[in-house]
Amino acid sequence: MTAVMAPPVKPAPPPVKRVRRGGGIAPPWLFAAPALLVYALVMLYPSIVGAGSAFTDWSGVGEQRSFVGFDNFQELVHDDQALGALRNTLLLTLAIVVVQNGLGLLLALGVHTTIKSRMVLRVIFFAPVVVSPVMVSFLWKYVYNPAPDAGLNAALNAVGLGALRQDWLGDPSLAIWSVAFTVIWQCAGYSMVIFLAGLEGVPKELHESAMVDGAGTVARFRHITWPLLAPAVTINVMLSTVGGLTLFTQIIAMTNGGPGYATDTLSTVLYKQAFVFGKFGYSTAVALVLAIFVAAVSFLQIGYLRSRETTA
Amino acid sequence: MASEIIRPQVSRRRLLQLMGGVAVAGTLAGCGGGNSAGGSGGGPLKVIGAGSQEAGLRKALDEYKKQNSSFDFNLSFSPADQLQTALRAQLAAGNAPDMHAVYPGNGSAMSMVQLSKANLLTDLSDQAWTQKIPTGFKGAYQQDGKTFIFSPGTSVLGAIYNKKAFAKAGVEVPTTWSELLTVCETLKKKGIVPLALGAQTPWVTQLINYALVPGTVYAKQPDFDDKMAAGSATFAGSGWADAMNKYLELQKRGFFNDNPNGTTYEQATSMVGTGKAAMAVQVSAVLQAYRDAAPSPDDLGMFPLPATDTVADNWIPGGIVVGLAVSAKSKKADEARKFIEFCGQPDMINTWAEAVACVPLYSEGEAKVDPVLKPFLHYLSGNKAVPFMDQRWPNAEVQPTHFAVVQELLGGKTTVDGALKKMDEAYRKTA
C-alpha cells in the first residue's frame, strides 16, 4: 500500500507591514492635503470664526462688538419674520423636492426609450441647468410681467385663457409658487440626468424575464425599476432638499423676499439682517441655526433613504 | 518592494511646514488684495457711487482730472438696492474703496451716522464748504459735530407728470388732495393710468407716504421726530395713519396701474415717459431717467403732491441727496479729501446739483436750478420742507420694514394699523 503523503503545507507569507520612516504621512493624505488645505482656509476657518459672531452684537462693520451670550438665539425664537421665513422655506422645499423629482423621473423615463429624438430631448431638458440661476430668474421675471399684454399673461390671452392672468410675483399668495415653479423648471433636468443614470443601471434581463412572466409596464416599474432606482432617489432627494432649504438666488433676484415678507426664506432673512439691517451677529445666529437644521434634516433623510436602498 | 516604492518621502514636519507656507502665502495674498482695493500707494483713486449720483459725480471727477493731470480715478456705480450690500461687504472685509456713496443722516445701514459710529469715515470738518451747511441740514451731514459726508444739495419729492397726458385729459396741476383725486378720476376716464407705481422695487414703495406725511404729520407737528425719539409719539397714533389711508384710497379707487406689487421702477418710469401713465411720485434725482424714457425731455414736469385740502398745510419732503465720503482706511485719504474740497466750491456744487436735479447746498449769487424744480423752491425757502423721514430714524430696520408693510398693504395682507405697529416695533429696536 502506498501511503499517500499529504503535501507539505506552505506557510502563509507574513503580512506586509507598511513601513514608515521617520513617522511620515501616508500617501492618501498627501494627495488630499492641498484640497483639504483649501477647504480649511475657505470653508472651515471662516465658518468657525463666523460662528463666534452669533454670540455678539456686531453690526458687520467696524470693530465695536460685545458678547451677548444667547440673546440672538432668543430673539430668533420670537422673530415673526424669521418664523414666517421658516414656514416659507419648508413649503418651498417640499414643493421642490416632490415636483422637481417627480418631473425629473417622468422626463428620465420619457427619454430612456428608443424614440429617435431622445438625445436631443435630453439636451433640451438639461439645458436650463447650465444657465446661471440669476439669468434664469431675470428671464422669468420678464415672463411673469403682470401687464396683460406681456409675458405669460399675453400667452394665456393668446390661447383664450385670459381669465387665468395673474400678478405672478406681486400677489402675496401666489409669489412663492411662482418662484418654486422657476426653480423646478430649471432643476428638473438635473434630477432627470441622475434618474437616467440610475435607469441605465437597471439590467435589461430583469425586464425581459418579467415580460415573459406577463408583467405589464406599471408592474415592471413598480417591482423592478423603482426599487433599483433607490440610490438615484437618495441622491436626488438629498440634493433638492438641501437646495430648497438654502434657496436664495432666485428669491433675491425675482422678489427680494416680497411682496412684504411673502417669499422670505431663512437664507434671505439672514442676508437682510446682515447687509440691510446691519445686524451681523443676529444674522450669523440665523445662519448657524439654518446650518444645524439642514445638517439634521440631511442626516435623518440619508439614514432613511439608505435603509430603503438596503431593503430594495 | 512595492511598499518601498510608495514609501512617503515627506515627513510630517515637512508637510506641516509646507502647509503653513501655503497658508501664509494665501493669507498674504488676501491681505494684498485688501490693501490694493483699500487704496495703496499706486494706482487710481477707487470710487463707488450710487446710480442716482452718476451724472454729477462723473462731471466732478472729470473736471478735477482736467485741472490735475496727475489725478486718476476708477469709478463704478451700484443701483440703490445693491449699493449697501456690496459696499457693506467691502467695508466689513476692510477693502472699501477710497471714496464711496453714503446716505445722509441715519436710518440705513449705509447711512452717515451708522458708518461714522463704526469709525469708517474720514472727518471733513476742516473744509471751508462745511461752514455753509444750513443749521436745519446739519443732522444729514454731521455726527457729534463732525462733518463726514459731502452732498451737493437737496432733492425734492413730488409728482413727476407727463404734460401731454395732462393736456389730453384737459386737467391742470392739482393743489389740494381733493383736486388730486378729481384729476386722477378724469385721467382714468380718458383711459390714462393716473399714477404709475412700481412697488416691486422696494424703495419705490415708500415714496407716496414720504410725499404725504409732511402734510399729514409735520405741518401740524414739526417736532414729530423729536417726540418719536423721546418715545412720546408713535407712527400708529400720528398722521402717518392718515397718509397710509390716503395711499390705500388711491389704490382702491383704481388710480394705480394694475398689479403695482408686480411692477418694477423701470416699468413705471416707462409708463410715464410714454404717456401711458400720467404721473409717478418720485424724487427729483431720478428725473433724468424719466426724461430718457420720454420722446422729449420737455414732456415732463414736476409738482408737489398735495396731501391735504388746506393749501398752507401741504408741506414737501426735501432731503439731502446721497453723498460721498472718504474711507477712514484709505491710503489716499489726502487725495480724496482734496477732491471733496474741490466739489465743495460753489461752481462745482452748482454743476453737480444741476446734473442730478437738486437744489444746491449753497450758492454765490443765483443758483442754477432745473426749471421743473421751481414749484418747490418757495417751500424750501419758507421752511415748509421736511427731510426724508428715514434720515432721522434711529436704526436701519425701520425703512425696510416700511417697504415690506406697504407691499403687504397693497397686497391686502395687512391693515394700516397693523402696518404702522410693525414700523413702531422696528423703531423701538436699538440702533
Side-chain angles (χ1 to χ4, degrees), chain A residues 245-264:
Chain A
L245 289 175
T246 57
L247 191 67
F248 175 78
T249 310
Q250 288 89 339
I251 291 174
I252 285 295
M254 293 174 81
T255 64
N256 197 38
Y261 306 101
T263 56
D264 259 333

Side-chain angles (χ1 to χ4, degrees), chain A residues 21 23 25 27 30 37 59-62 64 141 145-146 167 169-170 172-173 256 259-261 271 275-279, chain B residues 6-8 12 15 22 84-85 88 91-92 109 117-118 120 200 202 259 261-262 267 396-397 400 404 407-408 413 422:
Chain A
R21 264 203 313 238
I25 291 170
L30 266 180
L37 183 71
S59 70
V61 292
Q64 296 162 352
K141 213 169 161 178
N145 189 325
D167 185 3
L169 294 174
S173 308
N256 197 38
Y261 306 101
Y271 159 81
F275 294 106
V276 181
F277 297 175
K279 294 169 73 177
Chain B
I6 61 169
R7 184 181 300 144
R12 245 188 215 118
L15 179 69
V22 174
Q84 62 184 30
T85 52
R88 270 185 75 85
L91 287 165
K117 279 202 292 192
L120 292 166
Q200 194 186 66
N259 309 317
N261 266 348
Q267 288 162 347
E397 204 163 334
Q407 285 183 337
E408 285 191 323
K413 288 285 176 186
K422 272 190 185 165

Side-chain angles (χ1 to χ4, degrees), chain B residues 99-116:
Chain B
M99 277 195 302
H100 56 84
V102 173
Y103 292 105
N106 200 348
S108 123
M110 275 302 293
S111 64
M112 180 274 297
V113 172
Q114 299 280 329
L115 296 185
S116 63

Side-chain angles (χ1 to χ4, degrees), chain A residues 232-292:
Chain A
V233 172
T234 303
I235 295 170
N236 266 332
V237 170
M238 279 290 301
L239 290 178
S240 52
T241 302
V242 174
L245 289 175
T246 57
L247 191 67
F248 175 78
T249 310
Q250 288 89 339
I251 291 174
I252 285 295
M254 293 174 81
T255 64
N256 197 38
Y261 306 101
T263 56
D264 259 333
T265 60
L266 287 176
S267 298
T268 61
V269 165
L270 74 89
Y271 159 81
K272 287 180 184 175
Q273 290 289 344
F275 294 106
V276 181
F277 297 175
K279 294 169 73 177
F280 204 88
Y282 179 65
S283 161
T284 315
V286 179
L288 208 55
V289 169
L290 177 62
I292 292 168

Side-chain angles (χ1 to χ4, degrees), chain B residues 59-80:
Chain B
K59 266 189 183 174
L61 282 164
D62 287 341
E63 187 59 35
Y64 188 68
K65 189 176 176 180
K66 215 183 282 176
Q67 296 181 21
N68 300 273
S69 55
S70 61
F71 176 77
D72 197 11
F73 62 90
N74 178 343
L75 176 63
S76 58
F77 293 96
S78 283

Side-chain angles (χ1 to χ4, degrees), chain A residues 60-282:
Chain A
V61 292
E63 303 300 325
Q64 296 162 352
R65 70 183 84 184
S66 315
F67 179 74
V68 295
F70 285 90
D71 285 5
N72 288 329
F73 296 92
Q74 281 178 348
E75 187 181 341
L76 176 59
V77 174
H78 299 105
D79 185 344
D80 289 344
Q81 194 192 344
L83 295 177
L86 175 64
R87 180 182 154 274
N88 290 340
T89 307
L90 293 175
L91 274 177
L92 270 171
T93 305
L94 187 68
I96 289 168
V97 169
V98 173
V99 183
Q100 179 186 311
N101 290 316
L103 195 60
L105 180 60
L106 287 176
L107 291 175
L109 290 169
V111 297
H112 187 64
T113 55
T114 52
I115 58 166
K116 279 185 179 175
S117 57
R118 64 185 184 280
M119 296 310 288
V120 176
L121 288 173
R122 286 177 190 188
V123 172
I124 290 173
F125 293 144
F126 189 71
V129 177
V130 299
V131 183
S132 150
V134 176
M135 287 294 296
V136 167
S137 304
F138 283 135
L139 288 173
W140 274 92
K141 213 169 161 178
Y142 278 102
V143 174
Y144 288 141
N145 189 325
D149 54 352
L152 184 55
N153 283 342
L156 288 170
N157 254 345
V159 295
L161 295 172
L164 297 179
R165 285 190 325 239
Q166 301 289 338
D167 185 3
W168 303 102
L169 294 174
D171 180 344
S173 308
L174 190 62
I176 195 166
W177 305 118
S178 303
V179 175
F181 183 82
T182 303
V183 176
I184 291 163
W185 176 86
Q186 182 174 23
C187 300
Y190 195 76
S191 299
M192 176 197 77
V193 166
I194 293 171
F195 280 128
L196 208 49
L199 288 172
E200 299 286 354
V202 178
K204 282 181 184 166
E205 296 78 11
L206 288 178
H207 278 286
E208 286 164 2
S209 57
M211 282 168 80
V212 169
D213 290 341
T217 310
V218 176
R220 278 185 285 123
F221 176 77
R222 190 178 158 197
H223 297 292
I224 299 172
T225 310
W226 180 243
L228 291 174
L229 272 183
V233 172
T234 303
I235 295 170
N236 266 332
V237 170
M238 279 290 301
L239 290 178
S240 52
T241 302
V242 174
L245 289 175
T246 57
L247 191 67
F248 175 78
T249 310
Q250 288 89 339
I251 291 174
I252 285 295
M254 293 174 81
T255 64
N256 197 38
Y261 306 101
T263 56
D264 259 333
T265 60
L266 287 176
S267 298
T268 61
V269 165
L270 74 89
Y271 159 81
K272 287 180 184 175
Q273 290 289 344
F275 294 106
V276 181
F277 297 175
K279 294 169 73 177
F280 204 88
Y282 179 65

